[in-house]
Structures are given as structure tokens and as C-alpha cells.
Amino acid sequence: EPRNYLGSTLGFRSNEFADIDWRSYISAYFGRKILTRETLTFDDEVGLSYVDTDFTESESDTESEDDSYTGLNVNFSAEALLFDSNVTVYFRQANIINLSSAQKSIYRTKVGLRFPLLLGLEAAAEATADYDGGAAEGKEKLDQTLKFRIGYTW
């Protein structure tokens, strides 16, 4: 079935605001293209992850212990062309659900609007919300960002 696919992810992150010195994760997943219209696409992915987090050593009394866990990946992505043009609205949701403690799960959401400029250049405005339930104790778990970018497509 050409709408089904397999994939894997290998990632590394650091977040000084959450006292995360180093987080690595690896996952394998099964995906399916639910909608494949020219003006509307929707994909769904489900799989397993292994997450390993090393926290920075701090001088405070609330130092968090390093953590590793097995998680469930549940990802969604969608794109839609607006107004019969090349303006695209997109949505991406990436989740790693901690199977030993759902409160320590990771959720990343991105919503954006992308439009062509000229000569292959494109511009986009996007809002992201990253929830890190595994952040160090006493640290902010939600990070929200508004981004504007210019890129090139071929």
C-alpha cells in the first residue's frame, strides 16, 4: 500500500532554561497518509521511542535526577492550500508520551502560514508551543514562540 510507510527518528536537544544538559531520543514508527489530495494532506504516525535525559548539575536543592524512559510516538501533520493559490497553512503535532509517567510527556505543536515570494524563495510565519513535562523541577514546562522565516524551495 503506497500510502503506508515506516520511519525512524534520531534527535538530540539541549535546553538551558529547563536545566536539560542533553536529551537524546530514538524512535521507530509506522505512518499512513490519510488524505493525499492536491490541496489537502494529512498524515498520522504511531511508534515507540526511547528517551534519555541528562540534567545540568546545579547548586540548588531541587536538582533533578537524570531520566530515561520508553515512550509512545503519536504524530500528526497536515497541509492545506488556501484560496486556490500557493499559500499553504500547515500543522504539525509531535508527541512522545512517557509510558511510565504520562505527566512527563513531551508535546510539540507548530502552526504556520507559508507563501511563495519569487525565484523559489518562500516566507512563513509560524507559532510553536512546546510542552516538556520532563523539565527539571521548578522550571517552566511550556515554551511558546512566534517565528518569521524566509527559505528556498526547489
Side-chain angles (χ1 to χ4, degrees):
E1 170 67 51
R3 292 175 16 169
N4 296 335
Y5 57 92
L6 298 174
S8 64
T9 303
L10 176 63
F12 304 98
R13 294 181 75 104
S14 178
N15 185 339
E16 67 181 86
F17 300 110
D19 278 352
I20 295 173
D21 184 39
W22 188 255
R23 174 178 285 149
S24 59
Y25 54 92
I26 186 167
S27 65
Y29 56 86
F30 168 81
R32 175 146 176 101
K33 296 177 183 288
I34 307 284
L35 291 173
T36 57
R37 298 182 184 143
E38 197 170 308
T39 59
L40 179 64
T41 63
F42 180 75
D43 295 0
D44 183 23
E45 300 168 350
V46 176
L48 288 175
S49 293
Y50 177 76
V51 180
D52 184 48
T53 305
D54 295 328
F55 292 97
T56 56
E57 294 187 23
S58 66
E59 297 172 9
S60 70
D61 294 334
T62 61
E63 187 172 314
S64 295
E65 289 186 31
D66 293 348
D67 188 25
S68 60
Y69 62 88
T70 301
L72 178 67
N73 276 36
V74 181
N75 303 326
F76 306 100
S77 62
E79 288 192 3
L81 289 176
L82 299 179
F83 316 116
D84 293 329
S85 71
N86 290 328
V87 176
T88 305
V89 62
Y90 56 92
F91 170 81
R92 305 215 192 316
Q93 176 73 46
N95 309 299
I96 301 177
I97 301 167
N98 185 328
L99 294 177
S100 59
S101 175
Q103 294 173 334
K104 293 184 177 182
S105 298
I106 300 168
Y107 305 98
R108 293 192 179 105
T109 305
K110 182 184 297 186
V111 177
L113 187 64
R114 181 176 62 233
F115 52 93
L117 295 174
L118 60 127
L119 302 173
L121 291 174
E122 70 176 17
E126 59 188 33
T128 61
D130 294 341
Y131 177 83
D132 186 349
E137 272 189 52
K139 296 296 179 173
E140 187 67 35
K141 295 186 183 302
L142 181 63
D143 180 28
Q144 300 168 321
T145 309
L146 184 58
K147 300 177 186 178
F148 299 97
R149 64 178 174 82
I150 295 178
Y152 183 77
T153 59
W154 57 87

